[in-house]
Amino acid sequence: MKILFSPSETKRELATHGKLEKSSLIFPYLYEKRLQVLENYQALLQTQDIPTLQQLFGIKDTQKILTQASKTIFDALTCKAILRYSGIAYDHLRFETLTENAHAYIEANVMIFSNLFGPLLAGDLIPEYKLQQGESLAGFKTEAFYKEHFSDAIDAWIGDECVLDLRAGFYEKFYTLKRPYITMKFLKKGKVVSHFAKAYRGQVLREIALHQPKDEKELSAIAFTNLRIKEILEQKLKREYVFEIIA
């Protein structure tokens, strides 16, 4: 099973590996394409234009902006993408508390869609960076660029495997699935949860890593903690599991 996942606005300042290089990321034959985005981003940082960087980073504090802008992503040390991100979903995944076998499963089968680095395997090595969701690089839309240049590679990576799409809506702009896939929606007292959906996506990914289902039948057999299947909706290629939160 292949799982598509979102990144997080917040990052850990963790350094466990060397500098970014071609072999750090999936699809090394497309590394030159990624470099176009990364060099564009680095050039914006070097301008030290405060209003532009406020928008880019999504922060107002001038000193924090200048500190962030002084970093060079090509010189910074890296860590695994699954450890770099630290938002709600990742807090509920609690990756570091999982078994080594679960680690290996996530690192090989979870693809995270970074608005700067594009599609990443969870085990890929990336430096710390800051880029607010939905922000372009001076008009350069990274989501459109990665969709154009990386979609065929993602198709090949997925192959004929079952796909679970746990991405937030914005990250669907990076890649459109062309084969049947599964999504999940979470309801609390009959109403769709949005912000807290991140927590349940993290929880679901954790339990998937422990059970390691190979297909939809095995996925549907997992009794997810505090979740009960209410219904399954079908629309074109999508099968949406609607869960009621019972905690």
Side-chain angles (χ1 to χ4, degrees):
M1 173 173 283
K2 299 302 187 188
I3 303 160
L4 310 185
F5 211 66
S6 300
S8 170
E9 293 275 354
T10 54
K11 321 288 191 304
R12 298 171 66 188
E13 293 187 9
L14 183 65
T16 60
H17 291 72
K19 296 177 184 179
L20 182 70
E21 54 188 43
K22 183 183 293 188
S23 61
S24 302
L25 310 173
I26 191 174
F27 313 135
Y29 61 94
L30 291 172
Y31 187 68
E32 297 302 318
K33 293 294 183 184
R34 290 196 208 262
L35 276 182
Q36 293 181 41
V37 180
L38 301 180
E39 289 171 350
N40 195 336
Y41 172 80
Q42 194 62 53
L44 282 176
L45 267 55
Q46 291 171 348
T47 66
Q48 296 197 348
D49 180 84
I50 298 301
T52 297
L53 296 178
Q54 283 178 328
Q55 191 73 23
L56 198 70
F57 297 154
I59 56 178
K60 300 295 183 183
D61 187 287
T62 300
Q63 189 53 54
K64 288 182 179 179
I65 289 170
L66 291 175
T67 298
Q68 185 69 35
S70 68
K71 300 176 182 179
T72 304
I73 54 174
F74 299 110
D75 291 335
L77 298 180
T78 62
C79 74
K80 292 177 180 179
I82 197 69
L83 294 174
R84 177 65 67 200
Y85 298 110
S86 60
I88 294 173
Y90 294 86
D91 290 343
H92 284 76
L93 169 61
R94 293 183 289 131
F95 178 81
E96 290 167 297
T97 68
L98 288 167
T99 64
E100 288 187 13
N101 183 261
H103 285 177
Y105 179 87
I106 287 176
E107 290 174 12
N109 295 291
V110 174
M111 179 164 283
I112 301 168
F113 288 78
S114 161
N115 53 353
L116 180 60
F117 289 93
L120 301 167
L121 280 187
D124 284 356
L125 302 173
I126 58 170
E128 188 271 336
Y129 69 96
K130 195 162 188 64
L131 178 58
Q132 188 172 210
Q133 178 183 302
E135 281 304 313
S136 68
L137 303 179
F140 181 92
K141 293 186 177 297
T142 61
E143 63 271 25
F145 179 87
Y146 282 119
K147 184 173 185 178
E148 177 183 356
H149 295 289
F150 283 70
S151 288
D152 289 347
I154 299 171
D155 288 343
W157 175 74
I158 292 172
D160 294 326
E161 293 201 43
C162 180
V163 180
L164 173 61
D165 189 353
L166 292 178
R167 292 177 294 175
F170 173 77
Y171 295 98
E172 294 174 7
K173 297 179 180 181
F174 286 74
Y175 172 70
T176 299
L177 282 154
K178 308 173 190 67
R179 51 169 289 116
Y181 64 98
I182 301 164
T183 65
M184 294 181 175
K185 180 187 290 184
F186 306 98
L187 306 180
K188 182 74 170 179
K189 296 180 180 178
K191 295 183 178 180
V192 177
V193 299
S194 53
H195 181 69
F196 286 106
K198 297 176 183 178
Y200 290 102
R201 291 185 192 115
Q203 174 189 313
V204 163
L205 180 56
R206 179 181 179 86
E207 296 187 51
I208 286 174
L210 292 171
H211 289 85
Q212 302 185 13
K214 298 180 180 64
D215 53 31
E216 184 177 357
K217 182 179 179 181
E218 293 184 7
L219 175 67
S220 63
I222 299 173
F224 292 109
T225 305
N226 298 326
L227 296 174
R228 180 178 59 223
I229 295 177
K230 184 176 186 292
E231 59 183 334
I232 300 173
L233 304 176
E234 295 197 35
Q235 182 183 21
K236 296 181 180 179
L237 297 175
K238 179 169 72 172
R239 280 173 58 82
E240 183 174 63
Y241 279 61
V242 181
F243 288 94
E244 185 73 31
I245 299 165
I246 57 178

